[in-house]
Amino acid sequence: MKKILAILCFTLAVAGCSDSSNLDADGNYVEGVHYRELAAPIAASSNNISVTEFFWYGCPHCELFEKPLHKWQQTLTDGVVLVQSPAVWNEAMKLHAKVFFIAQQMPDKQKIHAALFQEIIGLREITDLNIQQAKLAEFLADYGLSEQEFNDKLNSADIISKLKQAMLLMSSAEIQGTPTLLVNGRYIILNESASSVEQVMDIASYLVELEKTRLSNP
């Protein structure tokens, strides 16, 4: 039985569902309230501190998350990087994840990435994946990728390998909904504790600093 996608329900203007009383005595965010630490942290693949967003193009909340996420990205200091990784629970999401990886190899990747949210949100009611694939081929053709090139890339060893890596990362991080942020393979932000998207970013910034402290004091 296919696993059902659990979309975390918050928007850019969520009514206050947390307040300063949830902070600790020093005014810091609290483990178990605002974030949780993975029982088995995921080993870093570089010296950078990574903030990974797990997303799905078919998730309207992920689309709303895009602008504040990339605005926050511009504030990141050297040695801290934002990574976006597609969530995958079913065959349709496998197709969408592959399209993400194909788009990331194209010259207009940022423009294509932004446009894919509306494109795939519009395809969600189409259950025939062959039809979805054909429509996505048409979509990418407008950006210079032929249908033949699209189909070849879709089934290439490189794209399939990237898909497998994304699925393994998602499984290791125990991701159950989108959008979800994972800080350096160790801390998962609990969106339900935040009163706004901006506070989610503030928690992420706090965890980045916490991770810097941890790494400097091994």
Side-chain angles (χ1 to χ4, degrees):
M1 182 176 180
K2 292 182 180 180
K3 189 170 183 178
I4 298 174
L5 173 65
I7 297 177
L8 298 178
C9 294
F10 72 96
T11 66
L12 287 171
V14 181
C17 52
S18 69
D19 55 48
S20 59
S21 64
N22 289 330
L23 304 178
D24 68 14
D26 295 320
N28 296 319
Y29 290 113
V30 179
E31 183 178 358
V33 176
H34 302 98
Y35 66 93
R36 65 179 174 86
E37 184 171 358
L38 294 182
I42 302 165
S45 58
S46 73
N47 292 327
N48 292 320
I49 291 177
S50 64
V51 179
T52 302
E53 183 218 11
F54 294 90
F55 76 98
W56 174 39
Y57 280 129
C59 165
H61 299 291
C62 295
E63 183 184 21
L64 288 172
F65 203 61
E66 274 289 294
K67 285 186 178 179
L69 178 67
H70 291 292
K71 181 178 179 181
W72 175 77
Q73 181 185 18
Q74 295 172 8
T75 72
L76 298 179
T77 57
D78 291 343
V80 183
V81 296
L82 174 67
V83 178
Q84 291 184 280
S85 186
V88 179
W89 285 287
N90 55 46
E91 293 303 313
M93 293 173 78
K94 285 183 181 179
L95 171 62
H96 304 158
K98 286 182 177 181
V99 171
F100 166 73
F101 291 121
I102 291 171
Q104 289 299 295
Q105 297 175 348
M106 296 175 66
D108 291 332
K109 63 181 181 181
Q110 293 178 334
K111 184 177 180 180
I112 297 169
H113 174 69
L116 274 167
F117 284 96
Q118 279 299 305
E119 179 69 19
I120 289 178
I121 286 172
L123 295 177
R124 288 183 306 175
E125 302 305 316
I126 299 176
T127 57
D128 188 329
L129 294 186
N130 289 325
I131 295 176
Q132 282 204 28
Q133 181 174 325
K135 288 186 174 297
L136 288 166
E138 292 175 7
F139 171 83
L140 290 179
D142 290 339
Y143 293 91
L145 188 71
S146 72
E147 181 180 356
Q148 184 63 54
E149 289 173 321
F150 172 72
N151 290 325
D152 287 346
K153 286 180 178 292
L154 203 63
N155 299 305
S156 68
D158 176 51
I159 296 301
I160 290 173
S161 175
K162 285 181 167 60
L163 173 65
K164 289 180 178 178
Q165 290 172 22
M167 292 176 68
L168 178 60
L169 178 62
M170 189 192 76
S171 176
S172 299
E174 304 169 2
I175 300 302
Q176 297 180 349
T178 58
T180 296
L181 294 183
L182 169 69
V183 178
N184 215 34
R186 180 173 294 268
Y187 305 111
I188 293 286
I189 294 175
L190 304 177
N191 291 345
E192 62 269 25
S193 72
S195 61
S196 66
V197 170
E198 287 74 18
Q199 189 176 17
V200 173
M201 304 307 174
D202 195 53
I203 297 171
S205 295
Y206 169 78
L207 292 172
V208 166
E209 294 306 313
L210 189 67
E211 187 67 351
K212 286 180 180 179
T213 300
R214 186 188 71 83
L215 292 172
S216 63
N217 297 283

